[in-house]
């Protein structure tokens, strides 16, 4: 959106056609694009530099489906973190009654989930991985 706004300024300069509508579109594009850039830039830095953090601990996996989409939510009561993945692990059971031990790889600021590993809570045997 920032690039669109800069391109709009360039077109207004070349065509010498500065209207209130074009100025409004440019300002709105700069504001929204700048806001989105400020929100995602710290996470983008961690993703590009591959600075990841691994959150380990007991977890509870809930599967929810809304409409055509389904996702798996990993709740880690030890750290109060909640992570969501689009792919649903193929496990025997889900929900609060079935605890697992999980290792979730996330960006340093915990904004983006990368992958997960699910282990048996007692034997620490690997049950499922997103790799």
């Amino acid at each position: 959106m920032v690039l669109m706004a800069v391109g709009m300024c360039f077109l207004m300069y070349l065509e010498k056609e500065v209207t209130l509508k074009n100025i409004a579109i440019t300002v709105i594009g700069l504001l929204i694009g700048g806001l989105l850039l400020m929100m995602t830039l710290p996470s983008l830095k961690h993703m590009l530099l591959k600075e990841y953090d691994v959150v380990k601990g007991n977890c509870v996996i809930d599967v929810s489906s809304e409409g055509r989409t389904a996702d798996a939510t990993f709740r880690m009561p030890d750290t109060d973190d909640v992570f969501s993945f689009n792919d649903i692990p193929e496990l025997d059971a889900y929900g609060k009654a079935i605890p697992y031990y999980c290792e979730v790889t996330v960006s340093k600021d915990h904004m983006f989930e990368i992958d997960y590993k699910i282990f048996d809570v007692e034997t620490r045997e690997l049950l499922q991985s997103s790799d």
Side-chain angles (χ1 to χ4, degrees), residues 60-95:
V60 175
I61 302 170
D62 294 321
V63 175
S64 64
S65 60
E66 296 178 11
R68 295 183 182 193
T69 62
D71 66 342
T73 303
F74 289 61
R75 298 185 192 283
M76 314 222 17
D78 298 338
T79 60
D80 290 332
D81 286 324
V82 177
F83 304 108
S84 181
F85 290 94
N86 289 336
D87 59 328
I88 298 172
E90 297 177 12
L91 300 171
D92 293 336
Y94 306 102

Side-chain angles (χ1 to χ4, degrees), residues 48-67:
L48 291 176
L49 296 176
K50 295 187 179 184
E51 296 175 345
Y52 303 139
D53 196 13
V54 178
V55 180
K56 299 177 183 179
N58 291 336
C59 68
V60 175
I61 302 170
D62 294 321
V63 175
S64 64
S65 60
E66 296 178 11

Side-chain angles (χ1 to χ4, degrees), residues 4 7 12-13 22-23 38 49-52 60-61 71 75 81 83 89 93 98 100-103 107 109 131:
M4 179 211 59
M12 284 192 296
Y13 175 76
N22 289 347
I23 292 173
M38 285 183 357
L49 296 176
K50 295 187 179 184
E51 296 175 345
Y52 303 139
V60 175
I61 302 170
D71 66 342
R75 298 185 192 283
D81 286 324
F83 304 108
I98 312 296
Y100 293 102
Y101 182 82
C102 299
E103 293 181 2
S107 61
D109 57 357
D131 296 334

Side-chain angles (χ1 to χ4, degrees), residues 39-47 51-53 83-85 104-115:
M39 288 172 39
T40 60
L41 197 57
S43 297
L44 182 63
K45 179 189 82 163
H46 294 302
M47 296 299 286
E51 296 175 345
Y52 303 139
D53 196 13
F83 304 108
S84 181
F85 290 94
V104 180
T105 306
V106 294
S107 61
K108 280 281 190 192
D109 57 357
H110 292 216
M111 294 296 289
F112 293 103
E113 300 88 359
I114 298 165
D115 66 3

